[in-house]
Amino acid sequence: MEPQEAVRQLEYAIDASLDETGQRTAATYRPTFERVADRADGSAVYTLACDLAGEVVAGDCPSPAEANASADRVLDDWAYTDGGA
C-alpha cells in the first residue's frame, strides 16, 4: 500500500466513524506513512493503516505522536519478522 492510499483509507474511516473531517485529520498521518514506506514496504504501510483504522472505528482518533508510536511498533515487528531492509 502506498502512503497516499493509506491516508485515503483513514479519511474514509474517520468520516464514517468520528465527528471529524477525515480529509483534514488523516492528512496529519501522511509523514508517518511516508516514513514507514521509506523504511519498510507496502505491507508495513498497510499494517499501520489497519492499526490506525481500528482505533478510529473504536472511537479514538490517534494523535500524530500516537500514530508515530504505532509506526515504530510496526517497523520493529517488520524488522524482526522480515529481517529489515
Side-chain angles (χ1 to χ4, degrees), residues 4-78:
Q4 62 272 15
E5 294 169 10
V7 169
R8 192 172 322 113
Q9 292 304 313
L10 277 178
E11 287 175 11
Y12 300 148
I14 291 168
D15 285 344
S17 303
L18 303 175
D19 291 334
E20 297 183 36
T21 304
Q23 186 175 18
R24 182 182 68 235
T25 304
T28 64
Y29 303 126
R30 183 179 304 275
T32 302
F33 286 123
E34 290 172 349
R35 179 171 65 92
V36 171
D38 287 344
R39 292 185 51 203
D41 60 14
S43 64
V45 173
Y46 178 78
T47 299
L48 177 59
C50 289
D51 290 352
L52 295 176
E55 291 185 43
V56 167
V57 169
D60 188 24
C61 189
S63 70
E66 291 168 330
N68 278 321
S70 293
D72 289 340
R73 285 190 296 277
V74 167
L75 289 170
D76 287 346
D77 288 346
W78 180 82

